[in-house]
Amino acid sequence: MAYSRKSKKALFIDQEALSTLALVQEGLLHPVDGLMDEKTSEEVNHTKCYKGHSFPFSFILAPKGRRNEEVLKALKPGEIVDLFVNGKPVGWLKVDEVFKIDPEARVQEIYGTQNASHPGVQATMKRLGHYAVSGKYHVEYPSLRKIKEQITVAKNRIGAKQTSALMMAARPLHRAHERLIRTTLDRSDLVVIFLFKPYQEDSTLPYELRYRSMDYFVKNYLPANRVVIVPLEYTYIFAGYNEVILDALVAENFGCDELVIGQNHAGLGSFYDKNRIQSVFDHLKGFEIQIHTAPEYAYCDICRTLVSSRTCPHGEHHHISYHADSILELLKKGLLPPAVLIRKEISAMILTHLFPNRFENLEKIYYDLMPGSGLLESQSEEDFYIKLMKLYQTTSLK
């Protein structure tokens, strides 16, 4: 339904703020159910709790800009103000209270630091104003509702009793990711893969390419009716050290029974307390979702398969670790990573994206070097990379 303006006054927000408002509107950060007033904000920032449920910081709207600040300072309780993104009306807000905030204190709550060299701090300070507004609001954002429906349909289709969530960037999707997905599928009826979709898009591996890679793996190597891939629009609230808490909250409110995270997750925060290892989850209140911590996987050159430290008796010097940044560095240099690190078809997708039209005479190179059917067929760059990797894997000559 098209949105119609309700007021002559307007606040101008960005797509990231719109998405974050929509998360709450759709109940995906429950029990948070709206914008917090000044008293509630201060209480949540101090106690890290809201309505008896752990929540890391206050939920507020404080858009930056001279025009926004003038409007906010003039607003009165009960007034309605329209919300705009890129010049288009996207919703409205009925004012309850306008109050001043300290942007530096706000980024400290989110990121645990005010250091300007932190990329999240930089990005948030550029979009964070000095005045926040609370009140009932409505925004148009149907995509989140569609994702909820997609997950519900998948659960009902197979009668899923146990649904597990995985939060993944897959930059790129490698063999350890694949093992994690498989082991999660072993313990669950349905796996929901929330694939991160940041607002500062990565031109190296954009969301569409990462989705295509994940979709290829799921459709070709897994029971596809038991896996759902959905975007998780990774707004600024997820970017800080409280990320894992919000991941669990979103997964729970999307209807998942379990969240699976890696033992080296940066937000897990393992520490010793009373002579036992604890994590951030040992101190949370109100969560019903179960948290499963998965081991880190590596390839053992003696076992000749993917292992974890719990299952492999050989030392780390026999292990090939799966560091996504290093694998991506190979791809950015134009190299085909070994198939033990990343599936050749996925490497082919990424290299074709990174180096379009790389070869001046692809057909000639292909027919000079590759075995074929004897028929003249048009070959894509992806086909070429896949065939080239098969040549690398030929073992009769040493």
Side-chain angles (χ1 to χ4, degrees):
M1 180 182 297
Y3 171 79
S4 58
R5 292 198 64 177
K6 292 178 175 288
S7 168
K8 291 183 180 179
K9 294 185 177 180
L11 289 174
F12 297 87
I13 62 176
D14 57 21
Q15 189 70 25
E16 192 168 357
L18 173 62
S19 176
T20 309
L21 290 171
L23 276 175
V24 167
Q25 179 175 282
E26 293 299 326
L28 296 173
L29 292 180
H30 179 80
V32 176
D33 52 8
L35 292 166
M36 298 176 184
D37 58 26
E38 184 175 18
K39 181 181 178 182
T40 305
S41 296
E42 291 176 353
E43 182 179 327
V44 171
N45 287 335
H46 177 68
T47 65
K48 309 301 179 186
C49 241
Y50 180 71
K51 295 184 178 180
H53 196 292
S54 294
F55 199 77
F57 43 76
S58 57
F59 185 75
I60 63 173
L61 175 65
K64 194 166 187 174
R66 181 181 56 81
R67 184 164 45 173
N68 281 333
E69 185 168 316
E70 290 174 356
V71 170
L72 286 167
K73 289 164 71 173
L75 286 173
K76 305 296 181 186
E79 282 192 277
I80 292 177
V81 59
D82 287 303
L83 302 175
F84 278 75
V85 172
N86 296 326
K88 297 181 180 179
V90 295
W92 53 266
L93 186 151
K94 186 176 182 181
V95 179
D96 177 34
E97 182 183 10
V98 176
F99 55 97
K100 198 165 186 177
I101 68 161
D102 179 352
E104 291 187 352
R106 174 67 173 170
V107 298
Q108 179 73 42
E109 294 289 344
I110 297 174
Y111 300 103
T113 180
Q114 298 177 16
N115 192 327
S117 66
H118 187 293
V121 170
Q122 287 182 31
T124 301
M125 287 297 289
K126 289 178 180 178
R127 54 193 302 280
L128 187 62
H130 289 86
Y131 289 87
V133 58
S134 68
K136 181 181 178 182
Y137 68 85
H138 175 79
V139 293
E140 297 293 335
Y141 209 81
S143 61
L144 287 176
R145 201 168 305 122
K146 289 178 182 177
I147 293 171
K148 290 172 70 174
E149 292 169 357
Q150 184 182 355
I151 294 172
T152 300
V153 167
K155 290 169 70 173
N156 293 339
R157 185 174 59 238
I158 62 173
K161 299 286 193 296
Q162 169 81 4
T163 300
S164 294
L166 286 167
M167 305 283 181
M168 305 185 79
R171 298 187 62 253
L173 177 67
H174 53 62
R175 297 288 189 173
H177 290 140
E178 293 185 8
R179 176 58 63 90
L180 178 60
I181 295 168
R182 288 185 188 277
T183 55
T184 303
L185 200 53
D186 275 338
R187 53 187 292 116
S188 308
D189 301 312
L190 181 72
V191 172
V192 181
I193 300 173
F194 291 93
L195 193 61
F196 298 162
K197 189 176 183 181
Y199 279 87
Q200 298 297 324
E201 185 60 278
D202 177 9
S203 59
T204 303
L205 289 183
Y207 173 80
E208 289 71 19
L209 179 59
R210 290 182 290 113
Y211 178 89
R212 184 182 166 210
S213 301
M214 185 71 73
D215 188 58
Y216 171 83
F217 169 64
V218 169
K219 287 182 176 176
N220 288 277
Y221 299 100
L222 296 177
N225 65 324
R226 293 177 51 211
V227 181
V228 179
I229 311 167
V230 296
L232 179 60
E233 295 183 345
Y234 231 54
T235 71
Y236 70 97
I237 65 170
F238 294 96
Y241 68 111
N242 297 293
E243 168 195 350
V244 71
I245 301 174
L246 294 168
D247 285 349
L249 190 59
V250 168
E252 180 174 287
N253 286 313
F254 264 119
C256 299
D257 307 296
E258 175 188 65
L259 173 66
V260 179
I261 62 173
Q263 66 181 14
N264 293 328
H265 192 294
L268 191 56
S270 296
F271 58 91
Y272 279 95
D273 185 33
K274 296 179 181 179
N275 297 319
R276 75 182 186 92
I277 295 178
Q278 296 193 2
S279 76
V280 63
F281 291 112
D282 291 292
H283 300 272
L284 295 185
K285 301 176 183 177
F287 281 86
E288 295 183 5
I289 192 170
Q290 299 297 307
I291 309 297
H292 175 71
T293 305
E296 183 180 13
Y297 294 106
Y299 182 89
C300 176
D301 65 1
I302 295 179
C303 295
R304 293 186 178 277
T305 189
L306 267 76
V307 298
S308 72
S309 58
R310 300 176 188 174
T311 62
C312 178
H314 309 113
E316 290 186 2
H317 55 287
H318 287 291
H319 291 174
I320 298 172
S321 297
Y322 288 84
H323 295 292
D325 289 345
S326 294
I327 297 172
L328 182 56
E329 190 65 24
L330 292 179
L331 291 161
K332 287 163 67 174
K333 297 299 184 184
L335 299 176
L336 269 169
V340 70
L341 296 178
I342 179 173
R343 208 172 277 277
K344 60 183 180 293
E345 293 86 356
I346 293 173
S347 291
M349 293 179 195
I350 296 171
L351 287 171
T352 301
H353 166 76
L354 293 175
F355 301 95
N357 304 313
R358 185 182 194 182
F359 304 100
E360 293 183 3
N361 196 341
L362 180 63
E363 295 289 328
K364 182 180 185 304
I365 298 173
Y366 188 95
Y367 287 110
D368 283 349
L369 301 180
M370 307 296 178
S373 63
L375 300 175
L376 291 176
E377 300 172 349
S378 177
Q379 303 294 337
S380 69
E381 289 189 350
E382 282 190 27
D383 295 328
F384 174 77
Y385 287 122
I386 292 170
K387 290 288 183 71
L388 185 61
M389 179 59 77
K390 287 181 178 178
L391 289 186
Y392 285 140
Q393 293 172 315
T394 300
T395 58
S396 59
L397 298 176
K398 294 190 184 269

